[in-house]
Amino acid sequence: MVHKLLRNSIEFFLFMRLDEEIQKRRTFAIISHPDAGKTTLTEKFLLFGGAIQTAGAVKSNKIRKEATSDFMEIERQRGISVATSVMCFEYEGKNVNILDTPGHKDFAEDTYRTLTAVDSVILVVDCVKGVEEQTERLMEVCRMRNTPVIIFINKMDREGKNPFDLLDELEEKLKIKVRPLSWPISQGINFKGVYNLYNNNLNLFEESKTKISDNYIKLDNIFNKEIENYLDPKFIPQLREDVELIEEVYDNLDVDKYLEGKIAPVFFGSALNNFGVQELLETFLLIAPQPQARDAMERTVNADENKFSGFVFKIHANLDPNHRDRIAFLRICSGKFERNTFYYHTRLNKKLRFSSPVMFMARDKNLVEEGFPGDVIGLYDTGQFKIGDTLTEGEQLNFKGIPSFSPELFREVINMDAFKSKQLDKGVRQLTDEGLAQLFIQQFGNRKIIGTVGELQFDVIKFRLEHEYGAKCNFASLNYYKACWITCDDNKVLQKFIQVKSHYIANDKDDNLVFFAENEWALKMAQQGYPEITFHFTSEFKTEKTLNAEFAEV
Ligand code: G4P
């Protein structure tokens, strides 16, 4: 009896602790089209959180556009970017985890996968350029997952588009309702500051890269005469008119709708000048979701379940060029992770123990003893992890939502050193396990085909095969338009299709059937000719049997 009471109260205590830790955590990604200001904003958040002391500390975390042909430089920068893959800091009692996403479009798939590990997103838009291509694609992924999004319109110190036009553009191109929570007072050289529509503050702009703005003037409403003491009268009528219009046209922010990913609050500011960043961060911490439940194939896993579970969403090699190690990034979904404890690797049906798990603090990584839902832990990996792998305390779970996308560029791997074919095989398998590219084995002729979403990956693969595995290869271009996974309930039809299209049939690494379409027309013809066959554009068809047309475009 005493034992039972004691056990119940210990369990209750542990649950309360877990619940407290979950409530404290906010795990999100900052995403943008390259150059919109993602790195600058990330850096300003870290400055606020005290995680870094100087500007410029995370500046080098992106692969620059001009580096596209220089893979040595890419490798060097990839090395740096590992250290900034996850950045944690504390702000007003909250543990904030920012997951970095590569800006370069050839690594878009990396970004999409990272988005599976966050609970919300801040989307940065350049006020001069408006919504750009990459922003639209990233937003599609957020929409599919109903990820809550806050939008930050950056570079208001530059002459940009009209703010109302920007809001229309956001709604139209990103296909989400928006609600401004702050409003700019002019822009460019005339930029005077923002009016905070959430708490009726006037925040006046000062150009400063280091100083945090404290120029807040509390007004109870925009018609308060006091505003005339602070703002040049020539800007006041326009501001009042704008604010009135916003209140008329836009409904108040419904936080539940934001949490369902149906409406995006919008802030204006200048990340470079530290302006509008604090409002953004504080509102984010107020409304952004704590770690959420996640779907596994078997069931939904709630964050506050006391048994640990998590999944690997990213694998990175070359952390330290002197020790060719890999690190698997694991998002904790439920329960408490503890160092030196055996966990169950559900794909390998094997128990693994981690003696040196790490967490990332700006550019440092530290050994951690424990982690909670929402945290991202780096696990040293000797090749036992693949993207999407699940760890649990023993339950057979497989987290969903970490798909491979249908690649668009294809090359055949040609071995250039017959004595190193084993090394080549191993290298190709391991690099594709990292999610760098996808490997297909063509049924006809047993050719090894690598599929990617960007050119850059081929350079990286070739370089790494040579330097890490001692294998030499070349790539022969293949003129395929898309690879899609095929399934069919009628085996006879499937076999017929395989026979007719034998030159275009391959298996992926998990032995799923894949069809290569030479062009859009060939794909259409195949779909029309074989209506019984389903053509899938993400590898997640095993759980989601329906073809997701939107995903197909990603
Ligand atoms: P990204 O990670 O989204 O690719 O963009 P990043 O933060 O690197 O910013 C891209 C460029 O835009 C940088 O200039 C940065 O200084 C500038 N920038 C960011 N926020 C603002 C802003 O609020 N106002 C203005 N005017 N510029 C901003 P750069 O010249 O490419 O790099 P750097 O030489 O400044 O490092």
Side-chain angles (χ1 to χ4, degrees):
M1 177 72 180
V2 177
H3 262 108
K4 199 172 167 200
L5 269 178
L6 194 65
R7 204 179 63 222
N8 283 351
S9 52
I10 290 173
E11 272 174 15
F12 180 72
F13 170 78
L14 290 175
F15 174 77
M16 288 306 288
R17 160 104 203 269
L18 182 62
D19 206 43
E20 241 171 59
E21 296 290 344
I22 293 170
Q23 282 182 29
K24 276 201 322 205
R25 279 168 174 75
R26 297 291 180 274
T27 302
F28 72 107
I30 302 182
I31 54 176
S32 75
H33 190 91
D35 276 348
K38 176 174 74 76
T39 314
T40 314
L41 185 66
T42 307
E43 185 175 276
K44 297 299 150 101
F45 277 180
L46 295 180
L47 277 169
F48 277 111
I52 54 170
Q53 270 65 49
T54 52
V58 289
K59 206 66 207 140
S60 49
N61 80 339
K62 62 176 179 169
I63 295 167
R64 291 194 168 273
K65 282 196 299 293
E66 59 267 33
T68 45
S69 58
D70 180 354
F71 51 75
M72 282 299 288
E73 174 63 3
I74 291 160
E75 274 305 294
R76 194 185 65 75
Q77 294 194 13
R78 259 167 47 84
I80 295 166
S81 83
V82 179
T84 52
S85 281
V86 187
M87 289 159 280
C88 318
F89 67 91
E90 274 185 40
Y91 189 80
E92 298 198 338
K94 295 276 190 304
N95 291 30
V96 184
N97 298 319
I98 308 182
L99 273 53
D100 186 37
T101 53
H104 199 290
K105 77 170 182 11
D106 285 5
F107 290 93
E109 212 175 333
D110 225 9
T111 302
Y112 300 148
R113 277 194 296 257
T114 299
L115 292 181
T116 65
V118 301
D119 299 297
S120 70
V121 150
I122 292 181
L123 180 70
V124 185
V125 173
D126 180 332
C127 77
V128 184
K129 295 186 176 147
V131 175
E132 296 171 86
E133 189 198 337
Q134 189 88 338
T135 326
E136 282 184 61
R137 290 182 141 217
L138 291 166
M139 187 64 201
E140 265 174 43
V141 180
C142 293
R143 257 204 327 272
M144 280 182 317
R145 308 176 51 80
N146 299 322
T147 309
V149 175
I150 296 183
I151 299 172
F152 183 68
I153 301 198
N154 191 25
K155 306 196 185 179
M156 289 308 294
D157 57 318
R158 287 199 182 157
E159 298 298 337
K161 297 188 180 182
N162 173 294
F164 280 111
D165 290 347
L166 278 167
L167 294 182
D168 288 348
E169 194 178 323
L170 290 173
E171 290 203 323
E172 196 183 302
K173 290 196 175 163
L174 302 183
K175 301 187 187 86
I176 187 164
K177 274 181 77 126
V178 297
R179 199 325 168 174
L181 290 188
S182 72
W183 194 250
I185 305 163
S186 195
Q187 62 193 125
I189 45 167
N190 281 325
F191 182 49
K192 293 290 166 239
V194 293
Y195 183 71
N196 189 328
L197 296 151
Y198 205 56
N199 51 18
N200 298 311
N201 272 342
L202 190 66
N203 187 4
L204 297 178
F205 176 65
E206 279 172 75
E207 210 166 307
S208 165
K209 291 183 188 160
T210 47
K211 191 168 163 273
I212 296 168
S213 166
D214 54 2
N215 222 350
Y216 292 101
I217 296 128
K218 180 88 193 127
L219 302 165
D220 43 10
N221 74 68
I222 192 70
F223 293 99
N224 188 330
K225 281 214 164 309
E226 219 189 318
I227 195 169
E228 288 156 24
N229 301 333
Y230 303 101
L231 195 60
D232 185 334
K234 75 175 183 208
F235 295 105
I236 298 173
Q238 183 69 53
L239 176 64
R240 284 182 171 152
E241 204 179 292
D242 288 353
V243 171
E244 256 191 323
L245 186 63
I246 292 164
E247 302 298 356
E248 263 172 45
V249 173
Y250 295 94
D251 296 336
N252 279 340
L253 178 73
D254 179 339
V255 176
D256 288 335
K257 287 230 166 73
Y258 153 72
L259 292 172
E260 290 163 18
K262 300 263 174 349
I263 189 165
V266 178
F267 289 85
F268 291 84
S270 166
L272 188 66
N273 291 295
N274 251 334
F275 191 80
V277 176
Q278 194 164 3
E279 286 97 327
L280 172 71
L281 179 59
E282 283 175 5
T283 312
F284 166 80
L285 292 178
L286 205 64
I287 65 173
Q290 62 184 51
Q292 297 291 292
R294 290 199 125 65
D295 286 336
M297 281 193 218
E298 296 76 6
R299 64 181 185 89
T300 299
V301 179
N302 290 317
D304 62 3
E305 291 181 18
N306 58 10
K307 291 235 161 79
F308 158 78
S309 69
F311 67 88
V312 172
F313 64 94
K314 177 176 175 135
I315 295 175
H316 225 308
N318 288 354
L319 200 60
D320 176 351
N322 299 320
H323 311 94
R324 294 254 167 234
D325 44 10
R326 303 201 321 173
I327 200 155
F329 290 83
L330 176 111
R331 145 99 196 201
I332 301 177
C333 298
S334 66
K336 180 173 149 188
F337 170 93
E338 283 175 286
R339 185 167 87 92
N340 270 331
T341 305
F342 276 102
Y343 290 118
Y344 178 54
H345 188 310
T346 62
R347 180 177 57 85
L348 297 181
N349 189 18
K350 194 170 157 185
K351 288 200 162 166
L352 297 173
R353 189 168 58 165
F354 304 94
S355 59
S356 339
V358 289
M359 265 211 231
F360 304 84
M361 226 24 197
R363 294 194 60 179
D364 299 324
K365 58 181 198 310
N366 305 311
L367 194 74
V368 280
E369 293 298 331
E370 56 182 27
F372 294 92
D375 285 341
V376 171
I377 289 196
L379 303 173
Y380 285 99
D381 173 30
T382 49
Q384 68 269 48
F385 283 119
K386 266 196 205 181
I387 302 245
D389 280 347
T390 299
L391 288 182
T392 68
E393 285 191 28
E395 189 178 349
Q396 184 61 44
L397 287 176
N398 292 280
F399 282 102
K400 302 200 290 190
I402 314 117
S404 296
F405 294 81
S406 171
E408 287 165 14
L409 296 171
F410 304 90
R411 308 259 161 92
E412 184 189 346
V413 184
I414 314 276
N415 188 2
M416 298 305 284
D417 183 347
F419 295 109
K420 295 283 171 64
S421 59
K422 272 209 176 114
Q423 284 86 333
L424 183 73
D425 271 4
K426 185 178 173 204
V428 167
R429 280 199 176 267
Q430 286 201 346
L431 295 183
T432 47
D433 279 353
E434 275 180 36
L436 197 60
Q438 290 177 59
L439 174 66
F440 305 102
I441 311 289
Q442 204 166 23
Q443 290 196 348
F444 187 84
N446 219 17
R447 296 197 289 177
K448 274 195 200 68
I449 295 175
I450 287 189
T452 67
V453 289
E455 281 286 340
L456 211 57
Q457 274 100 329
F458 291 110
D459 290 340
V460 173
I461 290 170
K462 196 170 172 196
F463 177 82
R464 289 188 52 193
L465 282 173
E466 211 166 296
H467 287 79
E468 289 168 39
Y469 299 90
K472 276 205 170 76
C473 78
N474 264 341
F475 292 113
S477 279
L478 294 169
N479 250 345
Y480 296 136
Y481 154 74
K482 239 179 207 320
C484 33
W485 288 267
I486 47 173
T487 53
C488 184
D489 290 335
D490 187 337
N491 195 37
K492 262 196 189 144
V493 177
L494 190 63
Q495 290 312 321
K496 186 171 169 224
F497 184 77
I498 293 173
Q499 201 181 1
V500 175
K501 306 276 181 201
S502 60
H503 282 67
Y504 302 100
I505 301 292
N507 291 86
D508 73 5
K509 286 201 307 183
D510 303 319
D511 247 1
N512 297 302
L513 276 174
V514 174
F515 168 63
F516 292 119
E518 275 190 309
N519 48 46
E520 213 175 338
W521 186 81
L523 178 60
K524 232 184 215 148
M525 285 296 107
Q527 283 172 314
Q528 280 172 7
Y530 294 86
E532 303 87 346
I533 296 181
T534 315
F535 297 77
H536 308 269
F537 294 88
T538 80
S539 64
E540 219 167 43
F541 59 86
K542 283 171 267 173
T543 51
E544 327 253 334
K545 285 255 176 198
T546 52
L547 172 116
N548 190 329
E550 260 186 334
F551 238 141
E553 294 308 316
V554 171

